[in-house]
Amino acid sequence: MIRLDNVTKIYENGANGVDNISLSIDPGEFVFVVGTSGSGKSTMVRLLLKEIDPTAGQITVNGMDLSQLSRKEMPEYRRKMGVVFQDFKLLKNKTVYENVAFAMQIVRASNREIRRTVPQVLSMVGLAKKAKAYPNQLSGGEQQRTALARAIINRPPLLLCDEPTGNLDPETAWEIMYLLDSINLSGTTVVVATHAKDIVNEMRKRVIGLSNGVIARDIKEGGYDDAYLWTDDVEEGGIL
């Protein structure tokens, strides 16, 4: 599903985003990527999105070598990846239904398929009664649910989430995480970059901890006990 081989990213100002990291994520995994500011977490997300290219190394996602993708092939790559951001990135002039339907229109789904599928997904994320509402009429949690529905409407094999609960209250954040867990159980690979300690500790999925651009630890799901939980003293030490 995802493979990074000796990947390094050095920015134009000389800053080192990630330094010779290698990892693999199997289909169907749920993985948290954690790290303090400057750890390389954001760089890793941008590399997977192919917003930036590595200085060295190879990245393969869904069987595609990202270094070999042409500009014409980028839409096909992006269609196989759902993305959820901290700031929702909804189209303000479109309703909930229209925001989600837009993702299907981009891949040229038929109107009949859109009319059938969008209500199903909105129901799944708890927004069946909000289909006609606009983003400014929604709570933060409802906006993120809309963004999540849009991300999964085309059934991508990979869902990449960048701080999906960052602007949400704790209760709403957990609701979003339960949805992500449910989506993962249906077979979708889920990668979540987050600072949400309580969620990471409680869910006990695989955790990849970055520090100063390198992998400080990679703990498999169920492979750690309380001694490995994300604590304040560990965070201050730069591990998470």
Side-chain angles (χ1 to χ4, degrees):
M1 173 58 68
I2 296 174
R3 186 177 179 90
L4 280 67
D5 292 301
N6 305 115
V7 173
T8 293
K9 175 61 182 178
I10 301 174
Y11 291 99
E12 292 182 0
N13 63 4
N16 200 7
V18 293
D19 184 10
N20 196 37
I21 64 173
S22 295
L23 63 89
S24 62
I25 296 174
D26 293 331
E29 277 199 274
F30 190 122
V31 180
F32 285 115
V33 179
V34 300
T36 57
S37 178
S39 65
K41 177 165 55 68
S42 295
T43 296
M44 181 173 167
V45 170
R46 295 182 67 197
L47 286 167
L48 293 177
L49 287 172
K50 200 171 167 54
E51 289 184 352
I52 57 175
D53 294 319
T55 306
Q58 182 181 42
I59 302 174
T60 305
V61 180
N62 288 327
M64 300 180 181
D65 181 349
L66 300 196
S67 67
Q68 301 299 315
L69 288 184
S70 67
R71 184 167 295 181
K72 290 183 179 180
E73 292 173 315
M74 282 302 298
E76 178 65 21
Y77 171 67
R78 294 261 167 83
R79 287 187 192 114
K80 294 181 179 179
M81 178 186 296
V83 185
V84 178
F85 298 96
Q86 178 177 347
D87 55 356
F88 317 134
K89 297 190 183 298
L90 299 177
L91 300 171
K92 296 179 181 179
N93 63 335
K94 292 184 180 294
T95 64
V96 168
Y97 182 99
E98 292 167 340
N99 263 279
V100 178
F102 185 67
M104 296 190 72
Q105 292 165 353
I106 289 176
V107 300
R108 299 181 180 178
S110 68
N111 289 333
R112 180 179 180 181
E113 186 177 2
I114 291 172
R115 289 194 298 269
R116 177 179 61 85
T117 307
V118 173
Q120 292 175 352
V121 174
L122 290 182
S123 179
M124 186 183 76
V125 300
L127 290 176
K129 296 182 179 180
K130 295 286 185 175
K132 296 182 179 180
Y134 287 89
N136 64 0
Q137 299 173 314
L138 303 176
S139 67
E142 290 168 340
Q143 290 185 63
Q144 192 61 294
R145 286 171 180 265
T146 304
L148 183 55
R150 181 181 60 188
I152 64 173
I153 192 70
N154 293 318
R155 297 187 178 91
L158 171 63
L159 182 60
L160 182 61
C161 306
D162 188 12
E163 296 289 355
T165 62
N167 289 328
L168 306 178
D169 63 81
E171 182 177 354
T172 305
W174 270 110
E175 291 173 356
I176 295 298
M177 294 311 303
Y178 291 144
L179 280 172
L180 291 176
D181 196 28
S182 176
I183 291 166
N184 173 246
L185 290 173
S186 72
T188 301
T189 304
V190 177
V191 179
V192 180
T194 185
H195 284 100
K197 310 180 189 182
D198 292 344
I199 288 172
V200 173
N201 289 350
E202 183 69 22
M203 292 187 70
R204 296 190 173 234
K205 304 293 187 179
R206 180 180 174 187
V207 178
I208 297 174
L210 299 177
S211 177
N212 298 318
V214 301
I215 297 176
R217 62 178 181 171
D218 184 352
I219 304 170
K220 303 295 183 180
E221 180 176 355
Y224 54 93
D225 55 26
D226 289 344
Y228 285 94
L229 292 184
W230 182 358
T231 58
D232 289 335
D233 61 315
V234 171
E235 181 177 10
E236 290 170 1
I239 301 299
L240 293 175

